[in-house]
Amino acid sequence: GIDASVRMAEANSAAGGSSPKSILYDGPSGTEEGDEIAVTVAVDAKLVGRIIGKGGSHIQRYKQQSGANIVLSPSSRGVDIRYADVTGTRDKVHVCLLLIAKGLHENVRKDEPVGTEMKLHMLCPSLSIGYLIGKQGRYVRAMREESKATITITEFKSDPAIQRRMSVLLSGTESTLGKAILLVCKQLSSAKLNLGINLRKTATSFNPAAAKGVRVSLPPTSSAPLHIGGRGGGARPI
């Protein structure tokens, strides 16, 4: 149930997630409010009721259990995908994402089969994707090896309205998926830390005259346009 998923997620966080010799980020525990990260989950509009629940009961419970905040994009005719923006400290987001994945997997009608594999479709800013892929794919390979989950990273093209986002699709058992989610959240924490430091350095040394015409270089692992931040407007809290 929900409580078991929370305990599993907390146990993974307490264990550190990555192995002692891991090349993946293993910095601060992600419990400080200043360490907040934001992750967007893409959900098939036909399945979004599984995580909302009657009167919003499921999504409210996920927020209470994890301590993270969830903002769901509004429904509209002809829209095939809904988006859930999850924000909070790294550990809170990790727990919340696992609860969402579990809800999508288990909250089905009686006549629908429940498979053994759980899936979660995350969207990440293009600017952060280098911290998930790594040089020559070293980070994503490490996450696959350590979590034993399937991790696929591609350019997100399913919705023309959502640009400059990369698709991170995770699949596995509850245990392997939970570990993969934790590792992804830790890498996003690393991205926020390093990008924040670089942006502050740029701000303190910025010279408008000298910067005129300067081109911005992206990490070698991503050819997507420079972008950082949320998806934009149109979302509403549940």
Side-chain angles (χ1 to χ4, degrees):
I2 294 289
D3 292 337
S5 297
V6 172
R7 287 195 296 271
M8 177 181 292
E10 290 174 342
N12 281 337
S13 294
S18 53
S19 62
K21 296 182 180 180
S22 176
I23 62 172
L24 299 174
Y25 179 68
D26 197 23
S29 64
T31 58
E32 299 296 327
E33 293 305 319
D35 297 334
E36 287 192 350
I37 60 173
V39 176
T40 298
V41 178
V43 182
D44 187 320
K46 297 178 181 178
L47 306 179
V48 75
R50 296 183 182 182
I51 63 170
I52 295 177
K54 188 176 181 179
S57 59
H58 293 336
I59 210 164
Q60 289 294 345
R61 188 162 70 250
Y62 300 159
K63 292 167 67 174
Q64 293 169 3
Q65 291 275 347
S66 67
N69 188 46
I70 306 172
V71 176
L72 190 67
S73 64
S75 61
S76 58
R77 183 174 298 178
V79 174
D80 298 327
I81 303 175
R82 299 279 299 274
Y83 302 96
D85 290 336
V86 181
T87 57
T89 61
R90 186 186 69 204
D91 294 345
K92 291 178 180 179
V93 169
H94 166 222
V95 173
C96 190
L97 293 177
L98 182 56
L99 294 176
I100 288 174
K102 191 174 177 67
L104 288 170
H105 179 69
E106 293 186 349
N107 296 334
V108 299
R109 297 191 304 266
K110 292 181 179 180
D111 59 339
E112 291 180 312
V114 178
T116 57
E117 186 177 70
M118 296 171 57
K119 295 183 179 181
L120 189 69
H121 186 184
M122 303 164 60
L123 302 181
C124 296
S126 298
L127 187 60
S128 304
I129 207 66
Y131 294 85
L132 296 183
I133 298 176
K135 188 176 182 179
Q136 297 180 335
R138 64 197 300 259
Y139 291 155
V140 70
R141 280 198 305 272
M143 290 192 291
R144 288 168 180 156
E145 291 171 1
E146 294 183 28
S147 68
K148 309 303 181 187
T150 299
I151 304 175
T152 305
I153 301 177
T154 59
E155 185 178 355
F156 183 65
K157 297 181 178 180
S158 300
D159 186 348
I162 304 298
Q163 299 179 354
R164 301 170 183 171
R165 286 275 167 165
M166 298 296 286
S167 172
V168 181
L169 181 61
L170 311 178
S171 60
T173 65
E174 183 176 352
S175 176
T176 61
L177 183 72
K179 190 163 187 178
I181 292 172
L182 174 61
L183 295 176
V184 168
C185 287
K186 295 180 85 169
Q187 290 304 109
L188 291 177
S189 292
S190 173
K192 180 181 178 182
L193 175 65
N194 286 283
L195 292 171
I197 291 173
N198 292 337
L199 288 174
R200 285 196 295 274
K201 286 181 179 178
T202 301
T204 55
S205 60
F206 181 65
N207 183 330
K212 186 176 181 180
V214 172
R215 295 175 62 87
V216 177
S217 298
L218 288 175
T221 54
S222 174
S223 60
L226 180 68
H227 178 74
I228 187 168
R231 290 186 303 105
R236 61 179 176 83
I238 285 290

